[in-house]
Amino acid sequence: MAGSTAEHERRCAEQGIPPERATAVATKPELARRMLERALEADVPFTYFLADEAYGQCRALRAWLEERRVRYVLAVPKDEVVPLPDKRTRQARELYALVPEEAFERRSCADGAKGPRDYDWATVHLAPTVQGLERHLLIRRSTVLNKKDKKTGQLVREISYFLCHTAPGATLAALVTAAGQRWMVEESFQVAKGQVGLDEHEVRKWCSWYRHTTVCMLAMAFIVAVRSRLIPCQPTAPGVRP
């Protein structure tokens, strides 16, 4: 362990990484927690914290969010174990099997390149937190057969799961809209790579990378600000701030 730590410190020093940045290797959920902590301290306005399965299945991150009453919509794997109001636990896929067909609603979570992204959605009420907020399992089902079953080889509908931490009374429509907002993050990365060269740095030193990334982010912010002035504001779904 000591050898690997020394090697890590040596490589960081070679790349010019400041000692305070190179003291420890942090996981993605830990980095997300640090970023969100700074956002909370700066009173950055937001409604939900959104993330994919890499973050959603981290129970330590979820517990930290719930302790601070941060509302979230996090993707989780199908075998994620969730708590029920009666203190039992079930896997997400087991709860999906218990949802009656009439409980699903067809809704669009966002507009894509080919039009509205329509899915069938349903929610399952879970155990609330000690802070008084609610938990829900949001289930998203494809409207077409678009995934091959590994066991049978037949085409089935793709099922996705989201663990939600919300204020009491959150509607299905609000949760669907929130879940769809994560696509905007992915699209923003693609735009930043294509328009301002976020992924085109050819550097070997931390300072050079930091400068390149900072300039790209400033350029992207400028583009977004200009575009927001040119494109008329669109109405926002109830319960979700832009």
Side-chain angles (χ1 to χ4, degrees), residues 48-98:
Y48 288 99
F49 173 67
L50 313 173
D52 60 23
E53 288 186 11
Y55 305 88
Q57 62 186 346
C58 179
R59 296 185 179 182
L61 176 61
R62 298 203 310 256
W64 184 86
L65 293 168
E66 293 174 3
E67 182 181 346
R68 285 153 183 79
R69 297 177 62 86
V70 174
R71 290 176 285 179
Y72 61 69
V73 177
L74 305 176
V76 294
K78 62 183 179 181
D79 57 355
E80 183 70 25
V81 177
V82 294
L84 299 176
D86 60 5
K87 298 184 179 181
R88 293 182 302 161
T89 58
R90 300 291 288 269
Q91 290 187 354
R93 57 184 168 188
E94 294 175 333
L95 292 178
Y96 164 67
L98 299 176

Side-chain angles (χ1 to χ4, degrees), residues 4 12 26 34 45 51-52 61-62 86 91 99 106 109 123 130 132 135 141-142 149 151 170 183 185-186 228 232:
S4 61
C12 288
R34 295 178 188 177
D52 60 23
L61 176 61
R62 298 203 310 256
D86 60 5
Q91 290 187 354
V99 177
R106 184 155 301 182
C109 57
T123 57
V130 294
R135 292 193 192 102
R141 185 179 66 189
S142 174
D149 187 275
K151 294 182 178 180
W183 268 303
V185 179
E186 305 294 341
S228 66

Side-chain angles (χ1 to χ4, degrees), residues 155-169:
L155 287 176
V156 296
R157 296 183 181 184
E158 184 177 15
I159 312 296
S160 299
Y161 303 92
F162 304 86
L163 193 57
C164 306
H165 182 231
T166 73

Side-chain angles (χ1 to χ4, degrees), residues 43-237:
D43 292 326
V44 176
F46 66 95
T47 303
Y48 288 99
F49 173 67
L50 313 173
D52 60 23
E53 288 186 11
Y55 305 88
Q57 62 186 346
C58 179
R59 296 185 179 182
L61 176 61
R62 298 203 310 256
W64 184 86
L65 293 168
E66 293 174 3
E67 182 181 346
R68 285 153 183 79
R69 297 177 62 86
V70 174
R71 290 176 285 179
Y72 61 69
V73 177
L74 305 176
V76 294
K78 62 183 179 181
D79 57 355
E80 183 70 25
V81 177
V82 294
L84 299 176
D86 60 5
K87 298 184 179 181
R88 293 182 302 161
T89 58
R90 300 291 288 269
Q91 290 187 354
R93 57 184 168 188
E94 294 175 333
L95 292 178
Y96 164 67
L98 299 176
V99 177
E101 186 62 31
E102 59 269 20
F104 281 91
E105 296 183 21
R106 184 155 301 182
R107 291 180 175 271
S108 172
C109 57
D111 288 333
K114 299 180 181 179
R117 293 188 172 110
D118 288 329
Y119 292 93
D120 293 331
W121 301 83
T123 57
V124 178
H125 193 70
L126 303 177
T129 66
V130 294
Q131 288 76 18
L133 297 187
E134 295 181 350
R135 292 193 192 102
H136 301 270
L137 179 67
L138 179 65
I139 303 172
R140 187 188 73 192
R141 185 179 66 189
S142 174
T143 60
V144 297
L145 304 177
N146 60 348
K147 183 178 181 180
K148 182 174 290 187
D149 187 275
K150 294 182 179 180
K151 294 182 178 180
T152 65
Q154 297 180 343
L155 287 176
V156 296
R157 296 183 181 184
E158 184 177 15
I159 312 296
S160 299
Y161 303 92
F162 304 86
L163 193 57
C164 306
H165 182 231
T166 73
T171 64
L172 174 64
L175 295 180
V176 169
T177 301
Q181 296 297 311
R182 193 168 63 83
W183 268 303
M184 296 177 61
V185 179
E186 305 294 341
E187 291 170 352
S188 295
F189 276 119
Q190 294 301 321
V191 172
K193 292 176 182 179
Q195 295 189 5
V196 299
L198 181 63
D199 63 340
E200 295 178 7
H201 54 79
E202 296 183 6
V203 298
R204 294 183 179 275
K205 297 295 184 179
W206 181 86
C207 188
S208 301
W209 168 85
Y210 195 92
R211 289 172 178 170
H212 175 89
T213 303
T214 302
V215 171
C216 288
M217 297 301 290
L218 287 173
M220 188 64 189
F222 174 79
I223 291 174
V224 171
V226 172
R227 184 171 57 186
S228 66
R229 296 173 184 174
L230 298 176
I231 300 177
C233 293
Q234 300 296 324
T236 305

